[in-house]
Amino acid sequence: MRNLILAIESSCDETAAAVLENGRTVLSNIISSQIPIHERYGGVVPEIASRNHVLNLPGVIDRALEEAGCTFDDVSAIAVTYGPGLVGALLTGVSAAKAIAAARHLPLVAVNHIHGHIAANYIAHPELEPPFVCLVASGGHSHIVHVRDYTEFEILGRTRDDAAGEAFDKIARVLDLGYPGGPKLEKLAQEGNSEAMKFPRVSFGEDCYDYSFSGVKTAVINYVHKEEQAGRSIAKADLAASFQRAVVEVLTEHTRQAVRASGCDKVALAGGVSANGALRASFDQMAKEEGLKLYYPPLILCTDNAAMIGCAGYYLYEQKKFADASLNAVPGLKL
């Protein structure tokens, strides 16, 4: 049976819509990025992001349907991100999805954004099935998730303060690298010596897989201030490489420990930070050492997109887990 899911994603600064067939076949994946708009401010301005979602969403949805070669009459359900994210940005997508679902008498599926990131791996790897352990690392999230089934999750570890991507962005800002900070810092780090500076790695004990990146962020900021006050020039590439190594090592080692405890033989990466080349290389090495099968999405599915929301939404649709007209945005939604 052919089920088409129209998915909408608007949790931050990408306005996106996609059409998926039976969960894993992407017929269209349209993304309208607001990076050029927010670049001048050095980060995402929520009110501007919301306004641009309102302006962009109708055209993005039309393009998604057109590229998929279908109309609303062919769609089986509407899937939408309802959290976590920026409340105004989420509301634009939720409002559009509710309106379409009501007008076309279609089921409405509410998708957790973190669930979407995990599901991106199903699109990239048709053979992948639960259970497995997934590191979800992005600007707002650092979770180690035991994916027990397509809609059943157990959090094995999470950040207690800054997310990994948030720390990357803040250090990029300190180094005046511009927005988006993570990719710019990674590029600079490729020119540096990752052993030039020693920054802290935080651990909460052998059986705890939680993260904390506030300490390494503060250590880098203090180092920069100290060097500036002493009138010394900063080797930015070495600093970027050393900071990146500290974050990557912690992400990798905590995931290694969590995978061992779970008994899984599969591990996956997801989220914007999963596009980081150093992190991928570190996970490649870890997977070889532990005898694990490693999965991660292509770069286009690492950052926010609607295809991953459609994939996650499909498995909720299959289980008839529908939302009603009372659906609202939940900016602090947990997995």
mmCIF file of all heavy atoms in Angstrom, residues 13-58:
data_model
loop_
_atom_site.group_PDB
_atom_site.id
_atom_site.type_symbol
_atom_site.label_atom_id
_atom_site.label_comp_id
_atom_site.label_asym_id
_atom_site.label_seq_id
_atom_site.Cartn_x
_atom_site.Cartn_y
_atom_site.Cartn_z
ATOM 1 N N ASP A 13 15.475 27.836 12.125
ATOM 2 C CA ASP A 13 15.635 28.814 11.041
ATOM 3 C C ASP A 13 15.626 28.179 9.655
ATOM 4 O O ASP A 13 16.036 28.817 8.690
ATOM 5 C CB ASP A 13 16.905 29.639 11.233
ATOM 6 C CG ASP A 13 18.170 28.800 11.216
ATOM 7 O OD1 ASP A 13 18.081 27.587 11.482
ATOM 8 O OD2 ASP A 13 19.244 29.355 10.946
ATOM 9 N N GLU A 14 15.168 26.931 9.546
ATOM 10 C CA GLU A 14 14.940 26.323 8.235
ATOM 11 C C GLU A 14 13.450 26.086 8.057
ATOM 12 O O GLU A 14 12.827 25.435 8.909
ATOM 13 C CB GLU A 14 15.682 24.984 8.072
ATOM 14 C CG GLU A 14 17.121 25.117 7.621
ATOM 15 C CD GLU A 14 18.077 25.218 8.772
ATOM 16 O OE1 GLU A 14 17.678 24.866 9.892
ATOM 17 O OE2 GLU A 14 19.222 25.652 8.571
ATOM 18 N N THR A 15 12.902 26.607 6.973
ATOM 19 C CA THR A 15 11.515 26.320 6.626
ATOM 20 C C THR A 15 11.551 25.138 5.659
ATOM 21 O O THR A 15 12.132 25.245 4.578
ATOM 22 C CB THR A 15 10.849 27.518 5.943
ATOM 23 O OG1 THR A 15 11.089 28.696 6.698
ATOM 24 C CG2 THR A 15 9.355 27.297 5.801
ATOM 25 N N ALA A 16 10.940 24.023 6.039
ATOM 26 C CA ALA A 16 11.103 22.815 5.236
ATOM 27 C C ALA A 16 9.799 22.045 5.099
ATOM 28 O O ALA A 16 8.958 22.030 6.007
ATOM 29 C CB ALA A 16 12.175 21.912 5.851
ATOM 30 N N ALA A 17 9.657 21.399 3.940
ATOM 31 C CA ALA A 17 8.531 20.503 3.690
ATOM 32 C C ALA A 17 9.037 19.353 2.836
ATOM 33 O O ALA A 17 9.952 19.522 2.019
ATOM 34 C CB ALA A 17 7.386 21.229 2.994
ATOM 35 N N ALA A 18 8.449 18.187 3.025
ATOM 36 C CA ALA A 18 8.882 16.999 2.292
ATOM 37 C C ALA A 18 7.708 16.058 2.097
ATOM 38 O O ALA A 18 6.725 16.100 2.845
ATOM 39 C CB ALA A 18 10.007 16.284 3.047
ATOM 40 N N VAL A 19 7.826 15.211 1.097
ATOM 41 C CA VAL A 19 6.853 14.147 0.878
ATOM 42 C C VAL A 19 7.607 12.826 0.872
ATOM 43 O O VAL A 19 8.594 12.669 0.140
ATOM 44 C CB VAL A 19 6.088 14.325 -0.452
ATOM 45 C CG1 VAL A 19 5.132 13.146 -0.671
ATOM 46 C CG2 VAL A 19 5.326 15.641 -0.459
ATOM 47 N N LEU A 20 7.165 11.890 1.712
ATOM 48 C CA LEU A 20 7.797 10.572 1.791
ATOM 49 C C LEU A 20 6.786 9.482 1.478
ATOM 50 O O LEU A 20 5.619 9.585 1.874
ATOM 51 C CB LEU A 20 8.389 10.327 3.178
ATOM 52 C CG LEU A 20 9.810 10.864 3.388
ATOM 53 C CD1 LEU A 20 9.803 12.354 3.629
ATOM 54 C CD2 LEU A 20 10.496 10.139 4.534
ATOM 55 N N GLU A 21 7.253 8.468 0.776
ATOM 56 C CA GLU A 21 6.425 7.311 0.469
ATOM 57 C C GLU A 21 6.807 6.166 1.389
ATOM 58 O O GLU A 21 7.980 5.764 1.452
ATOM 59 C CB GLU A 21 6.612 6.888 -0.984
ATOM 60 C CG GLU A 21 5.784 5.672 -1.382
ATOM 61 C CD GLU A 21 5.951 5.282 -2.832
ATOM 62 O OE1 GLU A 21 6.633 6.029 -3.579
ATOM 63 O OE2 GLU A 21 5.411 4.231 -3.223
ATOM 64 N N ASN A 22 5.827 5.688 2.151
ATOM 65 C CA ASN A 22 6.025 4.559 3.071
ATOM 66 C C ASN A 22 7.225 4.756 4.003
ATOM 67 O O ASN A 22 7.964 3.821 4.308
ATOM 68 C CB ASN A 22 6.160 3.255 2.300
ATOM 69 C CG ASN A 22 4.888 2.902 1.544
ATOM 70 O OD1 ASN A 22 3.801 3.342 1.917
ATOM 71 N ND2 ASN A 22 5.024 2.147 0.475
ATOM 72 N N GLY A 23 7.436 5.974 4.396
ATOM 73 C CA GLY A 23 8.397 6.265 5.451
ATOM 74 C C GLY A 23 9.835 6.470 5.055
ATOM 75 O O GLY A 23 10.510 7.327 5.607
ATOM 76 N N ARG A 24 10.328 5.722 4.065
ATOM 77 C CA ARG A 24 11.763 5.745 3.796
ATOM 78 C C ARG A 24 12.138 6.221 2.397
ATOM 79 O O ARG A 24 13.320 6.425 2.129
ATOM 80 C CB ARG A 24 12.362 4.356 4.033
ATOM 81 C CG ARG A 24 12.208 3.886 5.474
ATOM 82 C CD ARG A 24 13.284 2.897 5.851
ATOM 83 N NE ARG A 24 13.079 2.345 7.175
ATOM 84 C CZ ARG A 24 14.002 1.693 7.874
ATOM 85 N NH1 ARG A 24 15.195 1.498 7.358
ATOM 86 N NH2 ARG A 24 13.747 1.221 9.069
ATOM 87 N N THR A 25 11.167 6.373 1.528
ATOM 88 C CA THR A 25 11.466 6.844 0.175
ATOM 89 C C THR A 25 11.138 8.328 0.075
ATOM 90 O O THR A 25 9.968 8.721 0.194
ATOM 91 C CB THR A 25 10.660 6.063 -0.876
ATOM 92 O OG1 THR A 25 10.967 4.679 -0.766
ATOM 93 C CG2 THR A 25 10.999 6.544 -2.280
ATOM 94 N N VAL A 26 12.156 9.155 -0.129
ATOM 95 C CA VAL A 26 11.972 10.606 -0.178
ATOM 96 C C VAL A 26 11.605 11.012 -1.604
ATOM 97 O O VAL A 26 12.407 10.876 -2.525
ATOM 98 C CB VAL A 26 13.254 11.344 0.269
ATOM 99 C CG1 VAL A 26 13.052 12.859 0.192
ATOM 100 C CG2 VAL A 26 13.639 10.930 1.685
ATOM 101 N N LEU A 27 10.400 11.522 -1.769
ATOM 102 C CA LEU A 27 9.961 11.996 -3.081
ATOM 103 C C LEU A 27 10.312 13.465 -3.273
ATOM 104 O O LEU A 27 10.492 13.917 -4.402
ATOM 105 C CB LEU A 27 8.455 11.788 -3.234
ATOM 106 C CG LEU A 27 7.950 10.353 -3.077
ATOM 107 C CD1 LEU A 27 6.445 10.292 -3.337
ATOM 108 C CD2 LEU A 27 8.694 9.402 -4.010
ATOM 109 N N SER A 28 10.391 14.200 -2.182
ATOM 110 C CA SER A 28 10.836 15.600 -2.233
ATOM 111 C C SER A 28 11.300 16.012 -0.851
ATOM 112 O O SER A 28 10.840 15.466 0.158
ATOM 113 C CB SER A 28 9.711 16.523 -2.708
ATOM 114 O OG SER A 28 8.631 16.526 -1.782
ATOM 115 N N ASN A 29 12.228 16.952 -0.800
ATOM 116 C CA ASN A 29 12.741 17.455 0.479
ATOM 117 C C ASN A 29 13.203 18.887 0.255
ATOM 118 O O ASN A 29 14.356 19.133 -0.100
ATOM 119 C CB ASN A 29 13.895 16.580 0.985
ATOM 120 C CG ASN A 29 14.335 16.954 2.392
ATOM 121 O OD1 ASN A 29 13.543 17.485 3.174
ATOM 122 N ND2 ASN A 29 15.582 16.690 2.716
ATOM 123 N N ILE A 30 12.294 19.827 0.452
ATOM 124 C CA ILE A 30 12.550 21.236 0.166
ATOM 125 C C ILE A 30 12.944 21.963 1.455
ATOM 126 O O ILE A 30 12.249 21.871 2.466
ATOM 127 C CB ILE A 30 11.310 21.920 -0.448
ATOM 128 C CG1 ILE A 30 10.804 21.132 -1.661
ATOM 129 C CG2 ILE A 30 11.628 23.362 -0.825
ATOM 130 C CD1 ILE A 30 11.816 20.979 -2.769
ATOM 131 N N ILE A 31 14.072 22.662 1.411
ATOM 132 C CA ILE A 31 14.570 23.397 2.579
ATOM 133 C C ILE A 31 14.860 24.837 2.171
ATOM 134 O O ILE A 31 15.635 25.084 1.246
ATOM 135 C CB ILE A 31 15.860 22.769 3.146
ATOM 136 C CG1 ILE A 31 15.628 21.295 3.493
ATOM 137 C CG2 ILE A 31 16.339 23.547 4.373
ATOM 138 C CD1 ILE A 31 16.903 20.540 3.825
ATOM 139 N N SER A 32 14.232 25.772 2.852
ATOM 140 C CA SER A 32 14.515 27.191 2.651
ATOM 141 C C SER A 32 15.284 27.692 3.869
ATOM 142 O O SER A 32 14.713 27.862 4.953
ATOM 143 C CB SER A 32 13.208 27.983 2.476
ATOM 144 O OG SER A 32 13.472 29.363 2.346
ATOM 145 N N SER A 33 16.585 27.884 3.696
ATOM 146 C CA SER A 33 17.441 28.272 4.812
ATOM 147 C C SER A 33 17.398 29.785 5.038
ATOM 148 O O SER A 33 17.345 30.572 4.094
ATOM 149 C CB SER A 33 18.878 27.837 4.560
ATOM 150 O OG SER A 33 19.719 28.294 5.596
ATOM 151 N N GLN A 34 17.455 30.175 6.308
ATOM 152 C CA GLN A 34 17.488 31.593 6.666
ATOM 153 C C GLN A 34 18.888 32.044 7.092
ATOM 154 O O GLN A 34 19.030 33.140 7.648
ATOM 155 C CB GLN A 34 16.497 31.867 7.804
ATOM 156 C CG GLN A 34 15.040 31.612 7.459
ATOM 157 C CD GLN A 34 14.111 31.928 8.606
ATOM 158 O OE1 GLN A 34 14.422 32.760 9.466
ATOM 159 N NE2 GLN A 34 12.966 31.271 8.648
ATOM 160 N N ILE A 35 19.887 31.233 6.832
ATOM 161 C CA ILE A 35 21.247 31.580 7.256
ATOM 162 C C ILE A 35 21.672 32.981 6.772
ATOM 163 O O ILE A 35 22.200 33.771 7.555
ATOM 164 C CB ILE A 35 22.261 30.509 6.797
ATOM 165 C CG1 ILE A 35 22.099 29.254 7.661
ATOM 166 C CG2 ILE A 35 23.700 31.028 6.906
ATOM 167 C CD1 ILE A 35 22.998 28.109 7.257
ATOM 168 N N PRO A 36 21.451 33.329 5.495
ATOM 169 C CA PRO A 36 21.875 34.669 5.051
ATOM 170 C C PRO A 36 21.199 35.796 5.823
ATOM 171 O O PRO A 36 21.783 36.874 5.999
ATOM 172 C CB PRO A 36 21.459 34.691 3.566
ATOM 173 C CG PRO A 36 21.415 33.255 3.167
ATOM 174 C CD PRO A 36 20.925 32.531 4.377
ATOM 175 N N ILE A 37 19.980 35.555 6.289
ATOM 176 C CA ILE A 37 19.243 36.578 7.039
ATOM 177 C C ILE A 37 19.832 36.752 8.432
ATOM 178 O O ILE A 37 20.058 37.878 8.893
ATOM 179 C CB ILE A 37 17.753 36.203 7.132
ATOM 180 C CG1 ILE A 37 17.127 36.157 5.738
ATOM 181 C CG2 ILE A 37 16.996 37.177 8.029
ATOM 182 C CD1 ILE A 37 15.725 35.570 5.708
ATOM 183 N N HIS A 38 20.091 35.645 9.114
ATOM 184 C CA HIS A 38 20.542 35.715 10.506
ATOM 185 C C HIS A 38 22.054 35.919 10.636
ATOM 186 O O HIS A 38 22.540 36.257 11.721
ATOM 187 C CB HIS A 38 20.124 34.441 11.244
ATOM 188 C CG HIS A 38 18.644 34.245 11.315
ATOM 189 N ND1 HIS A 38 17.848 34.924 12.201
ATOM 190 C CD2 HIS A 38 17.814 33.465 10.572
ATOM 191 C CE1 HIS A 38 16.589 34.557 12.024
ATOM 192 N NE2 HIS A 38 16.544 33.670 11.035
ATOM 193 N N GLU A 39 22.768 35.716 9.548
ATOM 194 C CA GLU A 39 24.228 35.843 9.575
ATOM 195 C C GLU A 39 24.661 37.217 10.053
ATOM 196 O O GLU A 39 25.637 37.361 10.793
ATOM 197 C CB GLU A 39 24.791 35.560 8.180
ATOM 198 C CG GLU A 39 26.278 35.284 8.157
ATOM 199 C CD GLU A 39 26.726 34.733 6.817
ATOM 200 O OE1 GLU A 39 25.946 34.807 5.845
ATOM 201 O OE2 GLU A 39 27.847 34.215 6.745
ATOM 202 N N ARG A 40 23.933 38.244 9.644
ATOM 203 C CA ARG A 40 24.312 39.623 10.015
ATOM 204 C C ARG A 40 24.163 39.885 11.507
ATOM 205 O O ARG A 40 24.751 40.811 12.045
ATOM 206 C CB ARG A 40 23.458 40.619 9.229
ATOM 207 C CG ARG A 40 21.999 40.702 9.651
ATOM 208 C CD ARG A 40 21.135 41.495 8.709
ATOM 209 N NE ARG A 40 20.877 40.749 7.481
ATOM 210 C CZ ARG A 40 19.981 41.137 6.574
ATOM 211 N NH1 ARG A 40 19.291 42.253 6.757
ATOM 212 N NH2 ARG A 40 19.779 40.419 5.490
ATOM 213 N N TYR A 41 23.348 39.047 12.197
ATOM 214 C CA TYR A 41 23.137 39.226 13.635
ATOM 215 C C TYR A 41 24.020 38.306 14.469
ATOM 216 O O TYR A 41 24.016 38.384 15.696
ATOM 217 C CB TYR A 41 21.663 38.977 13.992
ATOM 218 C CG TYR A 41 20.703 39.833 13.206
ATOM 219 C CD1 TYR A 41 19.949 39.291 12.168
ATOM 220 C CD2 TYR A 41 20.550 41.192 13.485
ATOM 221 C CE1 TYR A 41 19.070 40.073 11.436
ATOM 222 C CE2 TYR A 41 19.674 41.982 12.755
ATOM 223 C CZ TYR A 41 18.944 41.407 11.727
ATOM 224 O OH TYR A 41 18.070 42.192 11.008
ATOM 225 N N GLY A 42 24.737 37.401 13.827
ATOM 226 C CA GLY A 42 25.604 36.471 14.547
ATOM 227 C C GLY A 42 24.877 35.316 15.185
ATOM 228 O O GLY A 42 25.441 34.581 15.989
ATOM 229 N N GLY A 43 23.615 35.125 14.843
ATOM 230 C CA GLY A 43 22.825 34.030 15.411
ATOM 231 C C GLY A 43 21.366 34.203 15.037
ATOM 232 O O GLY A 43 20.973 35.199 14.437
ATOM 233 N N VAL A 44 20.549 33.222 15.421
ATOM 234 C CA VAL A 44 19.139 33.239 15.045
ATOM 235 C C VAL A 44 18.369 34.230 15.906
ATOM 236 O O VAL A 44 18.435 34.184 17.139
ATOM 237 C CB VAL A 44 18.518 31.833 15.196
ATOM 238 C CG1 VAL A 44 17.026 31.872 14.862
ATOM 239 C CG2 VAL A 44 19.237 30.842 14.293
ATOM 240 N N VAL A 45 17.627 35.119 15.262
ATOM 241 C CA VAL A 45 16.721 36.038 15.949
ATOM 242 C C VAL A 45 15.322 35.428 15.867
ATOM 243 O O VAL A 45 14.750 35.344 14.771
ATOM 244 C CB VAL A 45 16.739 37.438 15.306
ATOM 245 C CG1 VAL A 45 15.798 38.381 16.059
ATOM 246 C CG2 VAL A 45 18.156 37.998 15.276
ATOM 247 N N PRO A 46 14.754 34.970 16.980
ATOM 248 C CA PRO A 46 13.493 34.212 16.929
ATOM 249 C C PRO A 46 12.352 34.921 16.203
ATOM 250 O O PRO A 46 11.633 34.282 15.421
ATOM 251 C CB PRO A 46 13.164 34.008 18.417
ATOM 252 C CG PRO A 46 14.488 34.013 19.093
ATOM 253 C CD PRO A 46 15.302 35.034 18.348
ATOM 254 N N GLU A 47 12.162 36.202 16.451
ATOM 255 C CA GLU A 47 11.046 36.908 15.822
ATOM 256 C C GLU A 47 11.208 36.961 14.306
ATOM 257 O O GLU A 47 10.239 36.802 13.556
ATOM 258 C CB GLU A 47 10.935 38.339 16.382
ATOM 259 C CG GLU A 47 10.551 38.408 17.850
ATOM 260 C CD GLU A 47 11.731 38.201 18.791
ATOM 261 O OE1 GLU A 47 12.866 37.985 18.294
ATOM 262 O OE2 GLU A 47 11.508 38.227 20.017
ATOM 263 N N ILE A 48 12.438 37.185 13.854
ATOM 264 C CA ILE A 48 12.696 37.227 12.410
ATOM 265 C C ILE A 48 12.507 35.850 11.804
ATOM 266 O O ILE A 48 11.948 35.702 10.705
ATOM 267 C CB ILE A 48 14.111 37.768 12.134
ATOM 268 C CG1 ILE A 48 14.206 39.232 12.591
ATOM 269 C CG2 ILE A 48 14.467 37.646 10.659
ATOM 270 C CD1 ILE A 48 15.596 39.833 12.453
ATOM 271 N N ALA A 49 12.943 34.812 12.515
ATOM 272 C CA ALA A 49 12.769 33.445 12.031
ATOM 273 C C ALA A 49 11.289 33.124 11.856
ATOM 274 O O ALA A 49 10.867 32.587 10.817
ATOM 275 C CB ALA A 49 13.410 32.453 12.996
ATOM 276 N N SER A 50 10.472 33.474 12.851
ATOM 277 C CA SER A 50 9.037 33.198 12.776
ATOM 278 C C SER A 50 8.393 33.910 11.602
ATOM 279 O O SER A 50 7.590 33.330 10.863
ATOM 280 C CB SER A 50 8.354 33.625 14.082
ATOM 281 O OG SER A 50 8.909 32.960 15.184
ATOM 282 N N ARG A 51 8.744 35.174 11.422
ATOM 283 C CA ARG A 51 8.162 35.969 10.330
ATOM 284 C C ARG A 51 8.500 35.353 8.974
ATOM 285 O O ARG A 51 7.645 35.268 8.084
ATOM 286 C CB ARG A 51 8.678 37.412 10.406
ATOM 287 C CG ARG A 51 7.980 38.365 9.452
ATOM 288 C CD ARG A 51 8.539 39.776 9.588
ATOM 289 N NE ARG A 51 8.553 40.214 10.976
ATOM 290 C CZ ARG A 51 9.610 40.729 11.588
ATOM 291 N NH1 ARG A 51 10.751 40.861 10.927
ATOM 292 N NH2 ARG A 51 9.527 41.107 12.843
ATOM 293 N N ASN A 52 9.729 34.898 8.824
ATOM 294 C CA ASN A 52 10.132 34.318 7.548
ATOM 295 C C ASN A 52 9.514 32.942 7.314
ATOM 296 O O ASN A 52 9.262 32.562 6.167
ATOM 297 C CB ASN A 52 11.658 34.262 7.456
ATOM 298 C CG ASN A 52 12.248 35.596 7.050
ATOM 299 O OD1 ASN A 52 12.306 35.936 5.874
ATOM 300 N ND2 ASN A 52 12.674 36.384 8.028
ATOM 301 N N HIS A 53 9.253 32.195 8.387
ATOM 302 C CA HIS A 53 8.520 30.945 8.233
ATOM 303 C C HIS A 53 7.126 31.203 7.655
ATOM 304 O O HIS A 53 6.665 30.490 6.761
ATOM 305 C CB HIS A 53 8.386 30.221 9.572
ATOM 306 C CG HIS A 53 9.637 29.559 10.048
ATOM 307 N ND1 HIS A 53 10.410 28.756 9.241
ATOM 308 C CD2 HIS A 53 10.251 29.568 11.263
ATOM 309 C CE1 HIS A 53 11.445 28.298 9.942
ATOM 310 N NE2 HIS A 53 11.363 28.776 11.165
ATOM 311 N N VAL A 54 6.461 32.222 8.189
ATOM 312 C CA VAL A 54 5.122 32.569 7.705
ATOM 313 C C VAL A 54 5.162 32.909 6.218
ATOM 314 O O VAL A 54 4.298 32.494 5.439
ATOM 315 C CB VAL A 54 4.541 33.748 8.522
ATOM 316 C CG1 VAL A 54 3.239 34.234 7.898
ATOM 317 C CG2 VAL A 54 4.313 33.337 9.971
ATOM 318 N N LEU A 55 6.185 33.653 5.816
ATOM 319 C CA LEU A 55 6.303 34.053 4.420
ATOM 320 C C LEU A 55 6.683 32.891 3.511
ATOM 321 O O LEU A 55 6.203 32.785 2.374
ATOM 322 C CB LEU A 55 7.354 35.168 4.286
ATOM 323 C CG LEU A 55 7.037 36.507 4.971
ATOM 324 C CD1 LEU A 55 8.247 37.431 4.909
ATOM 325 C CD2 LEU A 55 5.836 37.171 4.316
ATOM 326 N N ASN A 56 7.545 32.004 3.991
ATOM 327 C CA ASN A 56 8.119 30.966 3.136
ATOM 328 C C ASN A 56 7.310 29.673 3.061
ATOM 329 O O ASN A 56 7.384 28.954 2.059
ATOM 330 C CB ASN A 56 9.535 30.611 3.622
ATOM 331 C CG ASN A 56 10.510 31.758 3.471
ATOM 332 O OD1 ASN A 56 10.334 32.627 2.638
ATOM 333 N ND2 ASN A 56 11.562 31.748 4.293
ATOM 334 N N LEU A 57 6.571 29.361 4.115
ATOM 335 C CA LEU A 57 5.976 28.029 4.217
ATOM 336 C C LEU A 57 5.015 27.666 3.078
ATOM 337 O O LEU A 57 5.096 26.546 2.538
ATOM 338 C CB LEU A 57 5.283 27.875 5.577
ATOM 339 C CG LEU A 57 4.964 26.448 6.029
ATOM 340 C CD1 LEU A 57 6.184 25.549 5.936
ATOM 341 C CD2 LEU A 57 4.439 26.454 7.460
ATOM 342 N N PRO A 58 4.108 28.545 2.665
ATOM 343 C CA PRO A 58 3.199 28.149 1.567
ATOM 344 C C PRO A 58 3.941 27.742 0.299
ATOM 345 O O PRO A 58 3.609 26.717 -0.315
ATOM 346 C CB PRO A 58 2.351 29.409 1.341
ATOM 347 C CG PRO A 58 2.380 30.118 2.657
ATOM 348 C CD PRO A 58 3.747 29.874 3.207
#
